[in-house]
C-alpha cells in the first residue's frame, strides 16, 4: 500500500502543474491559443526547396543533415549575413556535450506563464478536439527522427525544466539523437549527462516543469534574438546555435566546402613557415599565390564533391 | 532642395527598418503570423462580465477604471493570489512618472526578431488584405480612449524603441492619457518626460525601432512573467504593473475598499499610541477592538460606497 | 458574512507564513536560535562610552544623534578608515527619500530561510518563554525612539518584505522617524513613499513576508559587507549607510566639524578666482595661506561649538 | 638568512589577517560571538533518529552515507518537497569534479566581516577558554571522517578563500574525502584540481583568507537560500547541493530506490519502441502496463534491498 | 596640536595614493606615458572648422554651444548615423540633474591601474619637466570655461572617485558649469547634489581616488563604446551622452532645427484630432498635407534663424 | 565565376571593417594614434635586468620561461603583493585548455571604437610610413617565439574577435605556442579547441572583427584591473593571468621553489596522520618540527637547483 502511495506521489512529479493550452496536429490547429495552421506554415515557408512532412513542415533531406554535421557557426554566418539574415544565431547556453555537433530540423514548442482562466478554457477546447491530457509530452510524442526539439519557455529556471532524464531519453530515441534547444532549463543532469544526444539549455533545476501553459506546437517561436520557424535547419557547435532557413541550406553547405578548403590551404602555407599571415590570409597578396590557391580550391572542391557523391 | 533632402532623410528615421508581419482587425486576422481571431478572443475571455469593443476585446467600464486609480499592487495581490492567479505582476521597469497611477484596458502588440523571408511573405499577405504599410503605427492608430498600449518587443534596447516623443504624444491623445507598458525601450526621453501620460519601459535609446517584425495585435503576449490578454485591466503604481483579468476587477475593487478602511483604522489606532503593533495589526487580538474595527469597517464601507454612487 | 470572510483572508496576508524562531528580551535570550545574551552584548560593546538601554544596548545620546544629522558618508569614512574599520559601509540600496538624512541607533533583526523542523521546535520554545506569536511584529514592537530598524533578510525580494505601509507607519511612530535599513524588500511603496521616515531597501514586492524564520533580535547581523552591532550609530545619506561603533561617534563628529570648516574655507578661496585648485586643496601650498586657513579653522571651530552648546 | 626571511613572509600568507571570534567545542560555546550550545543543538535536532557525535551533532550512519552516493538532486527533491521542506537546495557553484558525487555530514563554519573592536574582545575571550590562535584552521582541525565542511563566508571572493591546496589536502585526509561547500572562494585551484575530493565553491582567487572573523563553528548557517544545520546529510551532484535533515534521510533513500527502478522500467519500455512517452511516463495509462510496472517494481525493490543488505 | 594632527590626516584624504604618470601641456607631451602631442592633435582633428585653443584643441564657438543646449540624443543620432559615426553615444550613467542639459567641449583625462615601477619613473620624468605634484588636480587646474571634464578611469568604483564636493565645486567654477562625464565614480554626493553643474557618473563611493596613475591629459580616451577626442562637442540629456566631432556640429544643429519644427507641426496636426498618426507621421501621406508641412517648415526655419541671429 | 565571386565574398569576411590607426615598428611610432616610442619603452622598463628585443621590449630569458611553466597564481601573488604590486592579476576569462599552463612575454595590442574621421587620417599617416594595409594581422605578423599576444579590445563580443582558427593557427606557429589573452572575443571555437596553444578570452562570437580601429602595438594596455607593459612575463593557470614585471621574475621563481618545497613537506607531515593542521601549517608550532622543516627546505632547495642547473 505504502509503496503504491509513494509511487503515485512520485509519478505526480512531472504532471504536477503543467497545463497545456491546445494541440496541434495539422487538423487541430484550432485548439491552439496561438494558431498557426498547416496553410500558414506552407505560406510562410514557401521558399522551402525540399519535401515536407505531412503536417507541412519543411524536411531538409537526410544527406544534407549528414553533411551539415561538419558546419561551425562561422561558416553559417558567412552566407546568412550576406543574404540579410542578421538574427539567426543564439548563444549563452550551457552545452551538454561541447565536442558533439547538433544538427536537425526544428520542431518548435512554446510555453507561456500559467493563467487559470485561459488554462481552463484551453483544456475544454482540447478535449473537444480529442486530446485528453495536455502536457509537454503531447508535443514530445510528435517528434520525428532527425528533429531537434526547440522550446521557448521564456528562460524559466525553477519549474521551467522541459525534460528530466526519462523524457530526455525518449527524445533521444524518437529523434534518433537529434537534439534539444531550450530557452529554459532541464532536470536530472546527472542522468542526462550520460546520454549521447546534444543539448543546449539555460540552466538546470531539480524541480519539475510547472506554472506554465503549452501555447503552441510547431508555431514560430523566439529563442534569444532569433525567430525560429518549424523546419529550420538547426546547427549547434561549441559556441551556440544557428537556425538556417531551408532555402539557404544548400548555399551554406557549398560555401562551407570552400571555406574549409581555404583554411586547409592557408594552414598548409603557414606550415611552410615562409610567409607572414597577411601575405596568405585572408586572400593571398601575390597574384601567383592567388592563382595557386584558386587551382587548389578547384581541385579539392572536385575531390570533396566526388567523394561525397560516392557515399 | 537641400532642405527637402534633409527632410526625407529625417523622415526615414522611423520607417527605416520596421517590418510588420500582418494585421489585424477582427476581419483581417488571417493576415497575422500568429492568428488570434475575434472568436478566439471571445472564447478565451468568456468570463468577462462587461461589454466588449467591436473587435471582441473586453471593455472594463469607465467608472471602474476611475475607481481603480486608487489601487496599489498589494491591494491587487490579495485577490489574485487567493483566486490562484500567481503570474499577473511584472516589475523591473523604469517608470516615467512614479507618482502618477496608470489604469486602463490592455491593447497588446507583439514583435519578433526580423527574418527577411517571413517579412516579405507577410508584406504581401498584408497588401492582399488592404494594409498598405505595416509598422508600429498600424497598431498605434487602432488605440481607443482608456487603452494602455502593452508591447512585447522581447526586452530589446537598441532599435527596440516603440515610440519617440511624436508617437508618445499621439498615444497620449488617442488613449486619453491611458498609458504605455513596453518590454523594450523608448526614445526621446527628454521630450516624453514633459508629457503627462504614465509609461513603464525597460530602457531608453536614441535609435529608432528596427530589425523587428510586428507579429500580432491584440493577441496574448508575455510581459515579464505575465501572460497578458487583450482587455485585461492594467494597473501600474510605483512598484510595477498588475494585469487583472476582467472577471476579477469588481472583486479587486471591493477588497481594496476594505483594505483601505482597515489601514485607516489601523493608523488611527497607532496614532493613539496605546497599542503595540501586534495588538492591532493585522487583526486586533482583543475581541472588543475587533468589534470596534468591524463596526468601523461597516460604517466606512457604507460611506465610501454611497459617496462613490453619488459621483 | 462575505465581508467577514474577506476580511479574514485579508488579515491573513501578513501572518501567512512568517515563522519566528525565538525571542528575545534580555530575559528570553535562551529562546533564540542564535543566542546573544545581555552579557554577550555588554562584553562585546564594552568600549561604549555612553549609557545603555535596559537590555544592554549602547545608547548614543540624543544630542549627538542630532548633531550627526549633518554627517555624510565621506566624513565618516575619514575617521573609520584611520582607526582600522574598513568594513562599516554598505551601499546599493534604493533610498526612499534621498534628500533626507537617516540617523539613529541600530536595532537589529535577523531572518533565515524557513525549515519546518527548526520552526516547530522554536515555536514551542517561544511559547515556553511566554511569547504566543512569533513574527516580524514581535521585534517591531520592541523599537524605541531614536532607533533605526536594521534587518538582515538575506537580500530576499519575493516574500522578503519586512514591512508594508501599516507597519512602516508603526515603525515611524515608535522610533520617532528613526529609519529602516533592510537587506531585503518592502511592500506598499505607494503608501510608504508618502511617509516621512528614511528607508534603505534592496527591492519592492507586492507579496507579504513569508518562507522565513526570525532567528535573532539585537544580535550581530550582516548588511552587505558590514557586521552591524546593536547600538551602532546608523548614518544614511544619498550614497549609502555607515554603521559607526559607539566609541568612535564623538571623534567622527569632531572631525566632521573640521572637514566642513575646511570645505567652507576652500570654497571661499575658490570663489575668489585667484587660485588653481592645487594651490588651495587639499592643503594650501603657500605657508601664508596655510596659516590663514589654520586661523580660520580655529575661529570657526570655536564659533561652531559655542553655537552648538547654546542649543 | 634571506631564505629564512622569505620563508617567514611566505608563512605569513595565510595567517595574515584572519581573526576568529570564538570557539567552539561543546564546552567552549560561551566563547562564540553567536552561541549555539550542545543543548541547543540537541533541542533543535531532536527529530534525529540516529546516533550523535560527542558534541551533539547528528551522525547519519556510514552505510546510509554509502547508499546516498547514488542520489541525484531530483530524487531528493521528491521527498523534501512533499514534506514541506522547500528551502534545502543551493546551486550556482563552481564544481571541482562534476562527475564525482559528494556525500557527507554537514560540519558548519560561519565568518562575518572583520570589526577590530569585536575581534579584540573575541580574542581575549578565546584565550580565557584556552584557545591560543583563532583561525580557519581551528575549525578545520575539528573535522571528522565523513564530514563535509560547509562554510558561510558570505560569497566573498577576494580574501574569502577558505582553503588553498595545503588545507584542502588536510580536509581531504581528515574527512576521508568528504567534501567542501563554501559560499565564498578557494585558492590554488591548480593544485586542488589534482586532488580527489568533491568541492563546491563560488569563485577562485589568489589571495589568502582575510578581513573576516570566524563567528561560529557548528552553528546554523545560511548557504544560498538554505538554513543548514550541523549534521545535515549533504548531497552534491552535477547541479547543486541538497542539505537533508537527518530525520528524512531514510525516506529519501527509499524513495530513490523506487524512482530508479521506475526509470529503469520506463527506459526499457521506451527501448521497445512501441509506445509514445505519454503511454508509459510518468505513469502507464494502460491498466495492464501499470500492473506490469508494479510487479517489476516489487521484484526489483526486493532484489535491490537484498543485494544491499548483503554488502 | 591634536587639531593640527587631525587636520593633516584629513588633508591626506585625497592625495593619499593617486599617482600620476606624466603631464601635459603642449610642451610637456614627452612626460606622458601615452604621448599625444599638439601636432598629433592638429593632425587627427584637421577637419575641425573652428578656432583652436593654444594647446591645439578644437574650440567649438560659444554661440553654437549655446544653441546646442536644446539638443537631445535623438537629434544628434540622425546626423551622426547618416555620416557613418555609429560609435559616438554612451549611456548607463547616473545623472546628477536629469532635467538639466550638459553642453561643452571635451577635456579628456585618462587613468590606468597603478604600477609602482611605472609610477616612480613617471614621477621622475614629470619633475624633470617641472611638474612637482602629479594628481587629478594637475588636469583639473587646466580646465577652461565651456569645458566638460571627460574622465576614463575604467569604470572603477572604490578609489575611482575623480572628485568630491570640493573639486566638483572648483570644476564648476573653472568650466563655468560645463559638466563632468566620468567612467568611474564620484564622492560626496550629498554636497555635490546641491551644486548646479551637470554630471554623468557610473557610481558613488565614500573613498578618495587612489591605486591609479594618471596616464594622459587631452589624449583620445574611451568612454563606454566611444572614442572621445579632445575638443569634441559633448551633449548630455536624460538618456546619455553624445560626443560630436567638431566638423559635424553645424550640421547637427541645422538638422535639429528642422526636426523640432517637424515635431511642432506634427503635434499641431495631432491636436486637431482629425488624423491617424500614420497620415501625418513621419511624413504626411497626402500631397496637400506634405506641401502644407513644407511651407510651415520653410517659414518657421526662417523665423527661428532670424530670431537666433538677433540674439 | 560563381566560385570566384563566392571566394571574394568569403575572403572579405575578416577584412570587412577593421580599421587600423597606425603602426608600429620602433621607427614608425609616429604613425600610432597613441605613441609609445622605443625610447619610452626603454625609459619605463629601465629596471629590466635582461636582454631586449631590437624594438626595446624586455626579453625574459628562455630558461626562465621554461621554469615559469610550473608557477601558479598564488605563488606569483606572494612576491608581487610584498613588493607593492597589487594590480597585476586578471581573471574572469574563458580558458581554452584549463590544464595547460601559459607562459610567455607580453606582446600588447590595443583597439578603440571606430571613428571614421580618425580612421581616415590614420590610414593616410600609415601609408606615408609604408604600411599599405592596417589590420589585426599587421600586429600578428610581428609576433616572436615565446610571445603571448595580449589584446585590449575593451571587452567587445560582437565584432570583437581578434582571431579565428586561421589566425589562431598562425599565432601558435609564430609564438611557438606562446599564448593569447584577449579582453574581447574569438571566433571559430570549434577549430581553435583542437589546437594546442593556451588562450584566455571573454567570449566567443561568429562575427569577424570590425567596427574598431587598431590604436597601438606594444604600448601599455589595460587588461581588467592590470596595466600590462610590453615584455611583462605572462603566467596563466586555471584561475587567471598574472603579468609579472621583468625585474621581479627571478624573485618570483625563487620564492616558488620554496613554496613548493614547503607544500611538499606539509603534505608529507599530513600524510603521517599524527598532526592537526595548525601544528604544521602554515608554520610548525613545535621548534623541533620547525628545525626539521628548515633542514628539509635547505636540502630540497639544493637538490632542485642542482637538478635545474643540469638541464
Amino acid at each position: 500500500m505504502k509503496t503504491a502511495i509513494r509511487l503515485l506521489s512520485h509519478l505526480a512529479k512531472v504532471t504536477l502543474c503543467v497545463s497545456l493550452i491546445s494541440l496541434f496536429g495539422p487538423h487541430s490547429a484550432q485548439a491552439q491559443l496561438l494558431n498557426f495552421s498547416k496553410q500558414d506554415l506552407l505560406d510562410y515557408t514557401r521558399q522551402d526547396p525540399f519535401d515536407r512532412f505531412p503536417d507541412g513542415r519543411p524536411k531538409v533531406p537526410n544527406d544534407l543533415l549528414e553533411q551539415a554535421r561538419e558546419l561551425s557557426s562561422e561558416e553559417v554566418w558567412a552566407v546568412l549575413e550576406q543574404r540579410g539574415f542578421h538574427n539567426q544565431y543564439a548563444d549563452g547556453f550551457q552545452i551538454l556535450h561541447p565536442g558533439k555537433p547538433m544538427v536537425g530540423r526544428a520542431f518548435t514548442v512554446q510555453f507561456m506563464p500559467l493563467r487559470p482562466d485561459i488554462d481552463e478554457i484551453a483544456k475544454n477546447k482540447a478535449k473537444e478536439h480529442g486530446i485528453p491530457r495536455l502536457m509537454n509530452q503531447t508535443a514530445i510524442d510528435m517528434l520525428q527522427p532527425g528533429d531537434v526539439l526547440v522550446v521557448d519557455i521564456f528562460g524559466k529556471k525553477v519549474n521551467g525544466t522541459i525534460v528530466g532524464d526519462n523524457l530526455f531519453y525518449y527524445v533521444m530515441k524518437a529523434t534518433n539523437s537529434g537534439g534539444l534547444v531550450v530557452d529554459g532549463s532541464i532536470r536530472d543532469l546527472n542522468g542526462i549527462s550520460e546520454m549521447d544526444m546534444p543539448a543546449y539549455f539555460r540552466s538546470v533545476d531539480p524541480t519539475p516543469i510547472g506554472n506554465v501553459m503549452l501555447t503552441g506546437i510547431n508555431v514560430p517561436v523566439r529563442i534569444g534574438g532569433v525567430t525560429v520557424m518549424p523546419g529550420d535547419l538547426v546547427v549547434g557547435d561549441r559556441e551556440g546555435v544557428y537556425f538556417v532557413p531551408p532555402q539557404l541550406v544548400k548555399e551554406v553547405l557549398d560555401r562551407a566546402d570552400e571555406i574549409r578548403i581555404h583554411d586547409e590551404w592557408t594552414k598548409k602555407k603557414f606550415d611552410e613557415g615562409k610567409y607572414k599571415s597577411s601575405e596568405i590570409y585572408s586572400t593571398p597578396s601575390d597574384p601567383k599565390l592567388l592563382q595557386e590557391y584558386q587551382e587548389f580550391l578547384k581541385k579539392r572542391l572536385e575531390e570533396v564533391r566526388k567523394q561525397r557523391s560516392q557515399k
Side-chain angles (χ1 to χ4, degrees), chain A:
Chain A
M1 281 311 93
K2 210 170 145 203
T3 304
I5 290 167
R6 279 180 181 167
L7 174 66
L8 286 175
S9 75
H10 162 58
L11 295 180
K13 81 178 172 176
V14 166
T15 59
L16 196 59
C17 36
V18 185
S19 271
L20 329 109
I21 280 276
S22 56
L23 295 134
F24 314 104
H27 39 279
S28 66
Q30 54 276 52
Q32 297 203 108
L33 179 60
L34 299 176
N35 287 319
F36 196 69
S37 67
K38 179 171 177 178
Q39 190 55 50
D40 286 332
L41 185 53
L42 292 175
D43 287 353
Y44 281 103
T45 61
R46 70 170 69 131
Q47 297 180 41
D48 168 41
F50 307 119
D51 277 355
R52 289 173 185 273
F53 285 98
D55 64 359
R57 239 192 335 146
K59 188 175 178 180
V60 176
N62 286 335
D63 59 331
L64 295 189
L65 290 191
E66 207 47 47
Q67 195 178 337
R69 290 200 177 278
E70 292 167 35
L71 287 173
S72 70
S73 296
E74 288 72 18
E75 292 163 357
V76 180
W77 180 87
V79 169
L80 266 64
E81 195 67 16
Q82 195 178 345
R83 294 288 171 234
F85 286 74
H86 307 299
N87 304 318
Q88 301 304 119
Y89 175 72
D91 62 6
F93 296 99
Q94 292 188 44
I95 305 179
L96 185 63
H97 302 302
K100 185 179 179 59
M102 177 174 67
V103 168
R105 306 170 190 102
F107 183 105
T108 68
V109 182
Q110 189 198 44
F111 292 85
M112 290 181 78
L114 180 69
R115 267 179 81 136
D117 53 349
I118 301 301
D119 185 43
E120 192 190 339
I121 292 157
K123 269 181 188 152
N124 293 337
K125 283 208 170 202
K127 268 185 201 139
E128 290 165 21
H129 287 84
I131 302 165
R133 287 169 80 201
L134 288 171
M135 52 192 303
N136 50 349
Q137 289 176 257
T138 318
I140 286 171
D141 282 353
M142 296 164 66
L143 289 168
Q144 301 297 321
D147 282 351
V148 170
L149 179 60
V150 178
V151 182
D152 171 9
I153 190 168
F154 54 97
K156 196 170 168 56
K157 181 180 185 286
V158 176
N159 299 131
T161 50
I162 183 65
V163 293
D165 55 357
N166 286 289
L167 290 180
F168 190 91
Y169 186 81
Y170 183 83
V171 171
M172 181 174 72
K173 290 276 164 178
T175 64
N176 200 10
S177 292
L180 168 67
V181 180
V182 55
D183 192 356
S185 58
I186 61 168
R187 65 193 305 235
D188 295 315
L189 181 57
N190 264 25
I192 283 174
S193 64
E194 289 163 16
M195 297 181 199
D196 197 25
M197 181 175 79
Y200 294 70
F201 45 94
R202 299 289 183 202
S203 51
V204 183
D205 204 73
T207 58
I209 193 169
N211 199 23
V212 294
M213 43 189 197
L214 180 53
T215 50
I217 293 184
N218 279 328
V219 301
V221 299
R222 186 174 59 78
I223 299 291
V226 185
T227 298
V228 183
M229 293 295 285
D232 278 352
L233 174 69
V234 186
V235 177
D237 68 0
R238 283 172 187 274
E239 302 177 23
V241 183
Y242 251 105
F243 300 90
V244 185
Q247 66 272 21
L248 296 176
V249 169
K250 195 75 183 59
E251 184 177 354
V252 164
L253 291 170
D254 287 347
R255 180 77 61 86
D257 281 343
E258 296 168 28
I259 293 175
R260 256 172 262 135
I261 291 165
H262 177 256
D263 292 358
E264 190 184 328
W265 185 81
T266 301
K267 285 182 189 171
K268 192 166 69 86
K269 282 295 160 194
F270 286 172
D271 282 345
E272 294 178 12
K274 291 187 299 191
Y275 306 98
K276 288 290 174 195
S277 82
S278 51
E279 292 170 300
I280 300 297
Y281 184 80
S282 56
T283 198
S285 44
D286 179 340
K288 271 173 60 184
L289 274 176
L290 183 57
Q291 192 183 349
E292 181 192 318
Y293 165 66
Q294 282 165 339
E295 284 161 11
F296 181 89
L297 172 64
K298 199 180 155 208
K299 179 165 141 283
R300 289 288 293 124
L301 263 183
E302 281 165 11
E303 287 171 13
V304 161
R305 282 163 190 175
K306 190 171 161 196
Q307 196 179 5
R308 189 170 289 131
S309 67
Q310 288 170 341
K311 275 191 202 171

